[in-house]
Amino acid sequence: MITFVGKIKSEIYYNEENGYLVALFRVTKTDEENKEYLKKSITITGTFLDLKLETPIIINGEFKNHEKFGKQFNVNSYELVMPSEADDIKEFLSSKFIKGCGKKTAEKIVEIYGNRSIDIIKENKFALDKIEGMSESKREKIYESIINYSKSSDIILKLKNLGFSIEEAAKIYTKYKGNTKDIIENNIYLLNNIIDFKRLDTIFLNNNEDKFDKRRVKACIIESMKAISFNMGDVYYSDSYIYEILGKLFNISLDYELYFNYLKELEKELLIVCDGEKYYLQENYEAEIDIVQNLKIIDNKEIKKYDYEEDIQNLEKKLQISYDDMQKKAITSALNNNITIISGGPGTGKTTIINAIVKLYIAKNRLNNLDIIEQIALLAPTGRASKKMSTATGLPASTIHRFLKWNKETGEFSVNENNKNFQKLIIVDEVSMIDVNLFAALLKGIHSYVKLILVGDVNQLPSVGPGLVLNDLISSDLFNNIYLDYIYRQSENSYIPYLAREIKNKDIPDEFINKKDDYNFIVADAKNIKEIIKKIILKGIEKGFNENNLQILAPMYKGENGIDNLNLMLESIFNPDICQNKVTYGDIIYREGDKILQLVNDADNNVFNGDIGVIKTINNFNHKELITIDFDGNIVNISKKDLKNIKHAYAITIHKSQGSEFDHVIMPITYQYSNMLYNKILYTGVSRAKKSLILIGDPKSFYRGVFNDYGMERKTTLQEKLKEYYIHN
């Protein structure tokens, strides 16, 4: 590690959001070993907060050779240097950083207090009253300037001493500024909204001997409840189960009475809710309440009912289509009710009905193009699902997060109960993917006079977040609900939608391994699966298959036939290394032309979890890699640090595929997947295929998975809250 003292003379590049700096640094002091750099300028890179040019600082780091920009000094840590010599102090006090203090005043201060001038002022601002001509106003300005100048450095140093990296310190200070010190001294776990909990817990334990500190135990109780919701999808939990998970995750074993007292304290702090023997995180409890109350308000509004028989006939002629009786019933009842649920499996015509509802609503209300945008909202939880709606209807569609104007920095929605949207017809597709918190946010952000139509497949995988919203709404039996069961055949020998239904009903015939027009089950040992996939793809490429119309789905990342291994092989087939630009992130190499998957929501760029794109270019710009990705025509630029938010997408998880459809799907099925092969995941994977489906592997593992009900039960109270509220209101 090399240490230099000096000043930043000029800025080459600075990112105010994350503090990344490239600059010229003038060295004024160093050790004997590095004296060759004394009184010379070097190029430095690193993370800096509250950047101030011409400020004395100490930097620690090492030299590295950049392949394009040459020798640079990478700064690992730094701290501001308060001047300690009389002349330096005079220069500092009369600089632009200190308000209210000119050159003459600076000289008077140093004349009285000497080399300790700055320390004395920081300790007691009234020491300035001894300076001739000092007014109260000047005293306050000088004192505040000195405190503010050193504050960020003091806080950053404190964060670093606790164990935070400079990047983490940048995040914390950028958000909390002057309040940072109080937070880290009183309860470091309050930083959990920007720093990973495990990281916070490690830092806390490294700086505190007592692992049973009340602050830690209470924070770990909350984190245990969050873990249950994330892993199990539960909205509420028993106190005994929370206690069990607390011990497993954090090795905390408490006297049960003391643990129960902590639960009561958390309840008083409005962090959890206790309802009888059920314990909720506050936000989950309130989400269910908000859903119930807002649905009832919408449902109570009067609505005009129309006879749509003639309109449907005209639409049939226009679209050259014929709706059956169930489809007509779904269309009419959706238009004549405030709240409607349309559910059904693949191939049952849900998208066809959405298109009809939209077109009849536009015709009946004689909407022009501007009216359509103002009055109709087509929504889905993922970008690909919303694009599917847009393609089917010819109208704009949006993710729910974008519709509600989600802010990724604050985690809040700008469209809310105080700032609602005004659409009169809202259709939401893929509702099975929506958790209680997102659905509650949606209902808060729309007006009560809306006509709300919820579309989905209750047999698909449930939401990643807590709750079973679609299931609970249907099971309550309180809303107009149309269940579509008839499958519209693609060909006489098509099988995909029928296989999905057989999985759902757990009624798999022995013939499920027989080849059909759109389906094939290739029996294979696990060790041969990758090679078989490779052969199928190479043959498929000859027939016009490519990475855009073919998707490999698997339930897990690790293992011989896991997604990580499959992606390595598939990248070499679809996008071999031919000296195109590339960037390395950990042990993963991304190349121009790679198919990638977005892992997190980024509403600012209109990119969402599950969206698939292609890396168009990789360039080095101002010492930073700039990666340009095309998400179906939406061009997004990211930096190297954002690569943590993407993965290769030649093979993806079945969870990430939900809300999408692919012409051709290949699914490996092995005994090694056993823990992840269950009814809903197989149903969801199979139902992603539109034109062809190939299963490769072990039929017995597939059969066992069909009868595995893992993930079917979640602890929710939305259904009972709905019934109770509707009875009494």
Side-chain angles (χ1 to χ4, degrees):
M1 185 80 71
I2 301 171
T3 300
F4 290 126
V5 181
K7 296 179 180 180
I8 296 173
K9 302 299 291 184
S10 64
E11 169 191 318
I12 298 173
Y13 171 81
Y14 185 62
N15 185 324
E16 291 186 1
E17 289 185 8
N18 58 29
Y20 181 79
L21 171 75
V22 180
L24 287 178
F25 181 87
R26 184 76 170 177
V27 178
T28 57
K29 291 181 184 178
T30 188
D31 55 27
E32 186 68 23
E33 189 176 340
N34 295 287
K35 64 180 181 180
E36 62 183 288
Y37 299 104
L38 195 62
K39 296 183 180 180
K40 293 182 180 178
S41 292
I42 60 175
T43 301
I44 64 170
T45 65
T47 303
F48 290 77
L49 295 182
D50 283 359
L51 177 66
K52 300 179 178 74
L53 300 182
E54 298 292 339
T55 303
I57 59 174
I58 300 171
I59 59 174
N60 301 291
E62 55 189 9
F63 282 105
K64 289 187 178 179
N65 280 311
H66 192 282
E67 58 184 24
K68 186 174 181 180
F69 298 105
K71 192 174 184 179
Q72 298 177 331
F73 187 79
N74 286 8
V75 178
N76 295 324
S77 64
Y78 76 94
E79 59 182 287
L80 293 177
V81 180
M82 282 295 187
S84 56
E85 301 296 329
D87 288 343
D88 292 336
I89 294 172
K90 291 176 188 175
E91 182 184 353
F92 170 69
L93 288 174
S94 58
S95 72
K96 63 181 180 180
F97 301 120
I98 308 301
K99 296 178 181 178
C101 187
K103 190 174 182 180
K104 289 185 178 180
T105 303
E107 289 174 350
K108 291 177 182 177
I109 293 173
V110 173
E111 186 179 331
I112 294 178
Y113 295 118
N115 292 352
R116 291 198 65 242
S117 294
I118 295 173
D119 289 335
I120 289 171
I121 295 169
K122 286 173 68 176
E123 290 168 8
N124 180 14
K125 64 181 177 180
F126 296 106
L128 287 168
D129 290 344
K130 290 186 178 181
I131 308 303
E132 183 184 349
M134 182 64 60
S135 66
E136 182 180 348
S137 173
K138 283 179 67 175
R139 177 229 298 157
E140 295 300 322
K141 285 180 181 178
I142 295 170
Y143 174 75
E144 289 296 330
S145 296
I146 292 174
I147 294 298
N148 289 335
Y149 179 88
S150 60
K151 186 180 289 183
S152 64
S153 179
D154 292 344
I155 291 173
I156 291 165
L157 188 60
K158 189 171 183 64
L159 287 167
K160 281 181 73 282
N161 289 338
L162 285 172
F164 289 102
S165 69
I166 190 67
E167 289 79 11
E168 289 169 334
K171 282 185 183 178
I172 295 166
Y173 186 75
T174 299
K175 183 173 179 66
Y176 292 107
K177 298 292 183 184
N179 295 323
T180 303
K181 188 177 179 182
D182 289 338
I183 291 173
I184 59 179
E185 287 179 352
N186 294 321
N187 190 354
I188 199 173
Y189 293 100
L190 295 176
L191 299 173
N192 191 26
N193 59 341
I194 51 174
I195 304 294
D196 178 72
F197 185 87
K198 287 184 179 179
R199 175 80 173 131
L200 286 176
D201 198 39
T202 299
I203 290 172
F204 180 87
L205 292 174
N206 287 342
N207 291 278
N208 295 271
E209 293 183 1
D210 184 9
K211 73 174 185 178
F212 297 105
D213 183 291
K214 179 192 284 194
R215 295 167 298 180
R216 177 175 188 255
V217 174
K218 288 166 70 173
C220 289
I221 289 172
I222 296 293
E223 194 64 19
S224 297
M225 295 171 77
K226 289 179 180 178
I228 298 169
S229 282
F230 180 80
N231 293 318
M232 307 298 294
D234 293 343
V235 171
Y236 72 87
Y237 342 87
S238 66
D239 60 302
S240 59
Y241 190 51
I242 301 169
Y243 185 82
E244 178 186 336
I245 299 303
L246 181 66
K248 286 181 178 178
L249 291 182
F250 302 105
N251 195 28
I252 293 177
S253 180
L254 295 172
D255 174 79
Y256 207 85
E257 185 176 347
L258 178 60
Y259 160 72
F260 200 74
N261 288 337
Y262 286 158
L263 289 180
K264 291 300 178 186
E265 287 184 22
L266 289 168
E267 187 177 14
K268 288 180 181 177
E269 293 165 12
L270 302 181
L271 293 173
I272 70 172
V273 173
C274 174
D275 185 2
E277 296 182 351
K278 300 182 178 73
Y279 287 81
Y280 303 74
L281 287 167
Q282 181 80 21
E283 60 265 31
N284 292 344
Y285 182 84
E286 289 180 355
E288 285 196 339
I289 295 294
D290 288 338
I291 289 170
V292 170
Q293 293 178 346
N294 283 308
L295 284 176
K296 180 62 174 174
I297 292 170
I298 294 170
D299 214 16
N300 275 352
K301 295 293 181 181
E302 291 186 10
I303 185 172
K304 290 182 179 179
K305 296 183 183 289
Y306 298 98
D307 180 359
Y308 284 94
E309 185 175 350
E310 185 177 343
D311 301 275
I312 291 174
Q313 289 174 2
N314 292 334
L315 186 61
E316 287 178 318
K317 292 176 184 176
K318 183 178 179 180
L319 299 179
Q320 295 184 325
I321 193 172
S322 179
Y323 302 113
D324 64 25
D325 290 342
M326 181 55 73
Q327 288 177 317
K328 290 177 182 177
K329 178 184 177 184
I331 295 164
T332 302
S333 63
L335 289 164
N336 279 330
N337 282 277
N338 291 325
I339 300 174
T340 297
I341 301 170
I342 299 173
S343 60
T348 56
K350 296 189 298 293
T351 302
T352 301
I353 289 170
I354 290 174
N355 188 35
I357 291 168
V358 169
K359 286 180 168 48
L360 287 172
Y361 184 88
I362 291 170
K364 178 64 76 173
N365 293 280
R366 299 178 181 177
L367 304 183
N368 59 35
N369 289 338
L370 182 59
D371 292 333
I372 291 170
I373 294 172
E374 291 180 346
Q375 292 195 33
I376 299 176
L378 304 179
L379 307 176
T382 69
R384 290 180 73 84
S386 66
K387 186 180 179 185
K388 185 176 72 174
M389 291 181 80
S390 181
T391 301
T393 61
L395 298 178
S398 167
T399 63
I400 297 171
H401 280 80
R402 188 166 180 81
F403 176 75
L404 296 177
K405 297 182 180 177
W406 182 68
N407 185 316
K408 68 179 179 181
E409 298 298 327
T410 64
E412 297 174 346
F413 295 105
S414 298
V415 175
N416 50 47
E417 61 270 38
N418 301 314
N419 179 36
K420 293 177 180 285
N421 276 337
F422 293 89
Q423 286 79 5
K424 295 181 179 179
L425 172 68
I426 295 180
I427 303 178
V428 189
D429 199 6
E430 300 289 354
V431 178
S432 65
M433 298 177 67
I434 301 175
D435 63 38
V436 288
N437 296 295
L438 183 56
F439 193 58
L442 174 62
L443 294 178
K444 283 191 217 175
I446 61 179
H447 269 279
S448 59
Y449 53 63
V450 72
K451 189 185 300 294
L452 182 63
I453 299 169
L454 307 173
V455 183
D457 184 351
V458 76
N459 296 296
Q460 285 188 29
L461 288 168
S463 57
V464 174
L468 276 174
V469 171
L470 182 60
N471 179 80
D472 287 348
L473 295 180
I474 292 172
S475 299
S476 72
D477 204 26
L478 293 169
F479 308 102
N480 176 44
N481 178 34
I482 307 297
Y483 180 69
L484 306 171
D485 193 39
Y486 182 78
I487 295 172
Y488 296 89
R489 221 180 254 275
Q490 293 177 337
S491 73
E492 283 303 313
N493 201 30
S494 66
Y495 185 52
I496 296 170
Y498 294 95
L499 176 61
R501 186 162 67 181
E502 288 164 359
I503 293 170
K504 178 194 74 172
N505 295 333
K506 300 179 186 174
D507 185 21
I508 300 293
D510 294 339
E511 299 79 33
F512 79 91
I513 61 172
N514 294 348
K515 188 174 181 180
K516 303 289 193 303
D517 284 352
D518 58 354
Y519 167 81
N520 193 10
F521 197 123
I522 300 173
V523 179
D525 290 335
K527 62 184 179 182
N528 299 324
I529 285 178
K530 279 172 60 181
E531 190 59 34
I532 292 172
I533 291 175
K534 184 176 181 179
K535 288 179 180 178
I536 291 171
I537 289 173
L538 290 174
K539 285 184 180 179
I541 289 173
E542 295 175 5
K543 298 177 182 178
F545 289 16
N546 56 52
E547 66 271 31
N548 297 319
N549 57 28
L550 184 148
Q551 187 62 56
I552 286 77
L553 302 179
M556 57 197 294
Y557 284 102
K558 302 304 178 185
E560 182 182 7
N561 295 299
I563 288 164
D564 291 339
N565 265 344
L566 290 172
N567 269 321
L568 281 174
M569 177 192 73
L570 295 165
E571 183 189 32
S572 69
I573 297 173
F574 288 118
N575 191 31
D577 189 352
I578 52 174
C579 300
Q580 66 268 59
N581 290 331
K582 64 194 76 172
V583 60
T584 301
Y585 186 77
D587 57 354
I588 301 173
I589 298 173
Y590 293 100
R591 303 172 188 148
E592 290 178 341
D594 268 343
K595 179 180 179 181
I596 60 92
L597 174 77
Q598 180 76 10
L599 301 176
V600 298
N601 292 329
D602 182 359
D604 290 346
N605 285 314
N606 195 26
V607 182
F608 297 89
N609 185 355
D611 284 357
I612 292 175
V614 176
I615 296 177
K616 303 303 288 185
T617 59
I618 299 173
N619 293 308
N620 194 296
F621 178 72
N622 278 345
H623 300 258
K624 296 182 73 178
E625 280 81 9
L626 184 70
I627 301 100
T628 302
I629 304 176
D630 182 354
F631 290 97
D632 290 327
N634 178 26
I635 306 301
V636 174
N637 292 317
I638 66 171
S639 61
K640 186 173 180 177
K641 68 180 179 60
D642 298 316
L643 291 175
K644 66 180 180 292
N645 298 328
I646 68 171
K647 268 191 173 291
H648 282 114
Y650 303 104
I652 64 175
T653 65
I654 296 171
H655 277 90
K656 292 293 185 185
S657 75
Q658 197 166 355
S660 302
E661 288 182 337
F662 310 97
D663 285 349
H664 311 286
V665 169
I666 298 175
M667 286 175 57
I669 305 288
T670 78
Y671 178 76
Q672 286 73 23
Y673 291 160
S674 290
N675 291 335
M676 289 298 294
L677 289 179
Y678 54 93
N679 186 278
K680 285 200 171 188
I681 205 162
L682 289 172
Y683 176 90
T684 302
V686 164
S687 60
R688 298 308 90 201
K690 290 199 296 183
K691 294 181 180 179
S692 75
L693 170 69
I694 298 176
L695 306 182
I696 306 172
D698 177 22
K700 290 182 180 178
S701 295
F702 176 81
Y703 195 81
R704 280 193 297 268
V706 170
F707 290 89
N708 180 1
D709 284 340
Y710 171 78
M712 295 288 277
E713 297 297 328
R714 288 186 169 193
K715 292 184 175 68
T716 75
T717 45
L718 179 58
Q719 183 186 157
E720 63 185 70
K721 282 185 172 72
L722 279 165
K723 288 180 176 178
E724 183 178 351
Y725 193 80
Y726 266 66
I727 289 171
H728 295 100
N729 294 275

Short mmCIF file of all heavy atoms in Angstrom, two decimals, residues 465-492:
data_model
loop_
_atom_site.label_atom_id
_atom_site.label_comp_id
_atom_site.label_asym_id
_atom_site.label_seq_id
_atom_site.Cartn_x
_atom_site.Cartn_y
_atom_site.Cartn_z
N GLY A 465 -42.83 -12.46 -4.10
CA GLY A 465 -43.13 -11.83 -2.82
C GLY A 465 -44.28 -12.52 -2.12
O GLY A 465 -44.90 -13.46 -2.64
N PRO A 466 -44.63 -12.09 -0.91
CA PRO A 466 -45.64 -12.78 -0.09
C PRO A 466 -47.05 -12.67 -0.65
O PRO A 466 -47.41 -11.69 -1.29
CB PRO A 466 -45.53 -12.07 1.27
CG PRO A 466 -44.97 -10.72 0.95
CD PRO A 466 -44.05 -10.93 -0.21
N GLY A 467 -47.85 -13.70 -0.38
CA GLY A 467 -49.27 -13.68 -0.73
C GLY A 467 -49.63 -14.63 -1.85
O GLY A 467 -48.78 -15.18 -2.54
N LEU A 468 -50.94 -14.82 -1.99
CA LEU A 468 -51.54 -15.60 -3.09
C LEU A 468 -52.72 -14.79 -3.60
O LEU A 468 -53.87 -15.20 -3.47
CB LEU A 468 -52.00 -16.97 -2.59
CG LEU A 468 -50.97 -18.08 -2.51
CD1 LEU A 468 -51.58 -19.31 -1.85
CD2 LEU A 468 -50.44 -18.46 -3.88
N VAL A 469 -52.43 -13.64 -4.17
CA VAL A 469 -53.47 -12.66 -4.47
C VAL A 469 -54.54 -13.24 -5.38
O VAL A 469 -55.73 -13.21 -5.05
CB VAL A 469 -52.85 -11.39 -5.10
CG1 VAL A 469 -53.96 -10.47 -5.63
CG2 VAL A 469 -52.01 -10.65 -4.08
N LEU A 470 -54.18 -13.77 -6.54
CA LEU A 470 -55.18 -14.26 -7.49
C LEU A 470 -55.97 -15.41 -6.89
O LEU A 470 -57.21 -15.45 -7.00
CB LEU A 470 -54.50 -14.71 -8.79
CG LEU A 470 -55.43 -15.21 -9.90
CD1 LEU A 470 -56.41 -14.12 -10.32
CD2 LEU A 470 -54.63 -15.69 -11.11
N ASN A 471 -55.30 -16.33 -6.26
CA ASN A 471 -55.97 -17.46 -5.63
C ASN A 471 -56.96 -17.00 -4.56
O ASN A 471 -58.10 -17.48 -4.50
CB ASN A 471 -54.92 -18.39 -5.01
CG ASN A 471 -55.54 -19.59 -4.31
OD1 ASN A 471 -55.93 -20.56 -4.94
ND2 ASN A 471 -55.64 -19.51 -3.00
N ASP A 472 -56.53 -16.06 -3.72
CA ASP A 472 -57.40 -15.59 -2.64
C ASP A 472 -58.61 -14.82 -3.16
O ASP A 472 -59.72 -14.93 -2.61
CB ASP A 472 -56.60 -14.72 -1.66
CG ASP A 472 -55.66 -15.54 -0.80
OD1 ASP A 472 -55.80 -16.77 -0.79
OD2 ASP A 472 -54.78 -14.96 -0.15
N LEU A 473 -58.43 -14.04 -4.21
CA LEU A 473 -59.55 -13.31 -4.79
C LEU A 473 -60.59 -14.27 -5.36
O LEU A 473 -61.80 -14.09 -5.18
CB LEU A 473 -59.06 -12.35 -5.88
CG LEU A 473 -58.14 -11.21 -5.46
CD1 LEU A 473 -57.75 -10.37 -6.67
CD2 LEU A 473 -58.81 -10.33 -4.41
N ILE A 474 -60.11 -15.30 -6.07
CA ILE A 474 -61.03 -16.28 -6.65
C ILE A 474 -61.72 -17.08 -5.56
O ILE A 474 -62.94 -17.29 -5.58
CB ILE A 474 -60.28 -17.21 -7.62
CG1 ILE A 474 -59.81 -16.44 -8.85
CG2 ILE A 474 -61.16 -18.38 -8.05
CD1 ILE A 474 -58.89 -17.22 -9.77
N SER A 475 -60.94 -17.54 -4.57
CA SER A 475 -61.49 -18.39 -3.51
C SER A 475 -62.49 -17.65 -2.62
O SER A 475 -63.35 -18.28 -2.01
CB SER A 475 -60.35 -18.95 -2.64
OG SER A 475 -59.48 -19.74 -3.42
N SER A 476 -62.39 -16.33 -2.55
CA SER A 476 -63.34 -15.56 -1.74
C SER A 476 -64.76 -15.64 -2.30
O SER A 476 -65.73 -15.44 -1.58
CB SER A 476 -62.91 -14.09 -1.66
OG SER A 476 -63.12 -13.44 -2.91
N ASP A 477 -64.86 -15.91 -3.61
CA ASP A 477 -66.15 -16.04 -4.28
C ASP A 477 -66.98 -14.75 -4.17
O ASP A 477 -68.21 -14.79 -4.13
CB ASP A 477 -66.95 -17.23 -3.71
CG ASP A 477 -67.98 -17.77 -4.69
OD1 ASP A 477 -67.77 -17.60 -5.91
OD2 ASP A 477 -68.99 -18.34 -4.24
N LEU A 478 -66.29 -13.61 -4.15
CA LEU A 478 -66.98 -12.33 -4.01
C LEU A 478 -67.04 -11.54 -5.31
O LEU A 478 -67.77 -10.55 -5.40
CB LEU A 478 -66.27 -11.48 -2.95
CG LEU A 478 -66.34 -11.99 -1.51
CD1 LEU A 478 -65.37 -11.20 -0.62
CD2 LEU A 478 -67.76 -11.89 -0.97
N PHE A 479 -66.27 -11.97 -6.31
CA PHE A 479 -66.14 -11.18 -7.52
C PHE A 479 -66.61 -11.96 -8.74
O PHE A 479 -66.62 -13.20 -8.75
CB PHE A 479 -64.68 -10.74 -7.71
CG PHE A 479 -64.10 -10.07 -6.50
CD1 PHE A 479 -63.24 -10.75 -5.65
CD2 PHE A 479 -64.43 -8.76 -6.19
CE1 PHE A 479 -62.72 -10.15 -4.53
CE2 PHE A 479 -63.91 -8.14 -5.07
CZ PHE A 479 -63.05 -8.83 -4.23
N ASN A 480 -66.99 -11.21 -9.77
CA ASN A 480 -67.36 -11.82 -11.04
C ASN A 480 -66.15 -12.60 -11.57
O ASN A 480 -65.12 -12.02 -11.87
CB ASN A 480 -67.77 -10.72 -12.03
CG ASN A 480 -68.08 -11.27 -13.39
OD1 ASN A 480 -68.75 -12.29 -13.52
ND2 ASN A 480 -67.61 -10.60 -14.43
N ASN A 481 -66.27 -13.91 -11.65
CA ASN A 481 -65.13 -14.76 -11.99
C ASN A 481 -65.48 -15.67 -13.16
O ASN A 481 -66.44 -16.44 -13.10
CB ASN A 481 -64.74 -15.61 -10.78
CG ASN A 481 -63.58 -16.55 -11.09
OD1 ASN A 481 -62.71 -16.21 -11.88
ND2 ASN A 481 -63.60 -17.73 -10.49
N ILE A 482 -64.71 -15.57 -14.22
CA ILE A 482 -64.92 -16.41 -15.40
C ILE A 482 -63.73 -17.35 -15.50
O ILE A 482 -62.58 -16.90 -15.65
CB ILE A 482 -65.01 -15.57 -16.69
CG1 ILE A 482 -66.06 -14.47 -16.54
CG2 ILE A 482 -65.31 -16.47 -17.88
CD1 ILE A 482 -67.46 -14.97 -16.33
N TYR A 483 -63.99 -18.66 -15.42
CA TYR A 483 -62.92 -19.64 -15.55
C TYR A 483 -63.00 -20.28 -16.93
O TYR A 483 -64.04 -20.83 -17.32
CB TYR A 483 -63.02 -20.72 -14.48
CG TYR A 483 -61.93 -21.75 -14.60
CD1 TYR A 483 -60.61 -21.42 -14.33
CD2 TYR A 483 -62.22 -23.05 -15.02
CE1 TYR A 483 -59.60 -22.35 -14.47
CE2 TYR A 483 -61.21 -23.99 -15.17
CZ TYR A 483 -59.90 -23.63 -14.88
OH TYR A 483 -58.90 -24.55 -15.03
N LEU A 484 -61.93 -20.20 -17.69
CA LEU A 484 -61.86 -20.75 -19.05
C LEU A 484 -61.18 -22.10 -19.00
O LEU A 484 -60.05 -22.22 -18.51
CB LEU A 484 -61.09 -19.79 -19.96
CG LEU A 484 -61.59 -18.34 -19.99
CD1 LEU A 484 -60.61 -17.47 -20.76
CD2 LEU A 484 -62.97 -18.28 -20.62
N ASP A 485 -61.84 -23.11 -19.53
CA ASP A 485 -61.30 -24.45 -19.46
C ASP A 485 -61.10 -25.09 -20.84
O ASP A 485 -60.28 -25.98 -21.01
CB ASP A 485 -62.23 -25.34 -18.62
CG ASP A 485 -61.58 -26.66 -18.25
OD1 ASP A 485 -60.38 -26.65 -17.94
OD2 ASP A 485 -62.27 -27.69 -18.28
N TYR A 486 -61.83 -24.59 -21.82
CA TYR A 486 -61.76 -25.19 -23.16
C TYR A 486 -60.45 -24.79 -23.84
O TYR A 486 -60.07 -23.62 -23.86
CB TYR A 486 -62.94 -24.75 -24.02
CG TYR A 486 -62.94 -25.37 -25.40
CD1 TYR A 486 -63.37 -26.68 -25.59
CD2 TYR A 486 -62.48 -24.64 -26.50
CE1 TYR A 486 -63.34 -27.25 -26.85
CE2 TYR A 486 -62.45 -25.22 -27.77
CZ TYR A 486 -62.88 -26.52 -27.93
OH TYR A 486 -62.85 -27.10 -29.18
N ILE A 487 -59.74 -25.77 -24.38
CA ILE A 487 -58.46 -25.52 -25.05
C ILE A 487 -58.69 -25.45 -26.55
O ILE A 487 -59.29 -26.36 -27.14
CB ILE A 487 -57.44 -26.63 -24.72
CG1 ILE A 487 -57.10 -26.60 -23.22
CG2 ILE A 487 -56.17 -26.46 -25.54
CD1 ILE A 487 -56.24 -27.75 -22.75
N TYR A 488 -58.20 -24.37 -27.16
CA TYR A 488 -58.33 -24.18 -28.61
C TYR A 488 -57.13 -24.82 -29.29
O TYR A 488 -56.01 -24.33 -29.22
CB TYR A 488 -58.45 -22.68 -28.94
CG TYR A 488 -59.70 -22.10 -28.34
CD1 TYR A 488 -59.68 -21.57 -27.05
CD2 TYR A 488 -60.90 -22.13 -29.03
CE1 TYR A 488 -60.84 -21.06 -26.48
CE2 TYR A 488 -62.06 -21.63 -28.47
CZ TYR A 488 -62.02 -21.10 -27.19
OH TYR A 488 -63.17 -20.60 -26.62
N ARG A 489 -57.38 -25.90 -29.94
CA ARG A 489 -56.36 -26.75 -30.55
C ARG A 489 -55.57 -26.01 -31.62
O ARG A 489 -56.14 -25.33 -32.46
CB ARG A 489 -57.07 -27.95 -31.18
CG ARG A 489 -56.41 -29.26 -31.00
CD ARG A 489 -57.25 -30.33 -31.69
NE ARG A 489 -57.98 -31.16 -30.74
CZ ARG A 489 -57.45 -32.22 -30.16
NH1 ARG A 489 -56.21 -32.54 -30.40
NH2 ARG A 489 -58.16 -32.93 -29.33
N GLN A 490 -54.22 -26.19 -31.60
CA GLN A 490 -53.39 -25.63 -32.67
C GLN A 490 -53.35 -26.57 -33.87
O GLN A 490 -53.29 -26.15 -35.01
CB GLN A 490 -51.96 -25.37 -32.15
CG GLN A 490 -51.90 -24.28 -31.11
CD GLN A 490 -50.50 -24.09 -30.54
OE1 GLN A 490 -49.69 -25.00 -30.60
NE2 GLN A 490 -50.23 -22.92 -29.99
N SER A 491 -53.33 -27.87 -33.59
CA SER A 491 -53.39 -28.88 -34.65
C SER A 491 -54.00 -30.13 -34.04
O SER A 491 -54.14 -30.25 -32.83
CB SER A 491 -51.99 -29.17 -35.21
OG SER A 491 -51.23 -29.93 -34.27
N GLU A 492 -54.38 -31.09 -34.89
CA GLU A 492 -55.03 -32.30 -34.41
C GLU A 492 -54.14 -33.09 -33.46
O GLU A 492 -54.63 -33.80 -32.60
CB GLU A 492 -55.44 -33.18 -35.60
CG GLU A 492 -56.67 -32.68 -36.33
CD GLU A 492 -57.89 -32.55 -35.42
OE1 GLU A 492 -58.17 -33.49 -34.65
OE2 GLU A 492 -58.54 -31.49 -35.43
#
